[in-house]
Amino acid sequence: MMMSDGKIKNSGELEFAVFCIENVAAKLDVDTKRVYQAFTEKADILHGYIVP
């Protein structure tokens, strides 16, 4: 059974999260820090959607 607390549990999940952030940043031509902040501080996209 998969737990859905939104926390990164292993290197595969971390790699996928980094992949998503880097690709969105490249597509939008913005800094990865800005995408990370948008995914975590402005919305709960990273821990509420991408990781689970």
Side-chain angles (χ1 to χ4, degrees), residues 31-43:
D31 186 61
T32 54
K33 182 177 179 179
R34 183 172 172 192
V35 174
Y36 176 78
Q37 288 173 332
F39 279 10
T40 59
E41 296 171 12
K42 300 185 186 310

Side-chain angles (χ1 to χ4, degrees), residues 2 10-11 15 21-22 26-27 36 38 41-42 45 51-52:
M2 181 177 171
N10 58 53
S11 62
E15 287 178 29
I21 291 167
E22 289 179 340
K27 182 72 174 174
Y36 176 78
E41 296 171 12
K42 300 185 186 310
I45 296 170
V51 174

Side-chain angles (χ1 to χ4, degrees), residues 2-50:
M2 181 177 171
M3 296 182 66
S4 60
D5 63 0
K7 302 293 183 201
I8 295 175
K9 296 171 188 61
N10 58 53
S11 62
E13 290 182 359
L14 178 59
E15 287 178 29
F16 182 67
V18 170
F19 170 82
C20 291
I21 291 167
E22 289 179 340
N23 279 279
V24 168
K27 182 72 174 174
L28 299 176
D29 196 26
V30 297
D31 186 61
T32 54
K33 182 177 179 179
R34 183 172 172 192
V35 174
Y36 176 78
Q37 288 173 332
F39 279 10
T40 59
E41 296 171 12
K42 300 185 186 310
D44 192 28
I45 296 170
L46 183 63
H47 296 290
Y49 180 72
I50 294 173

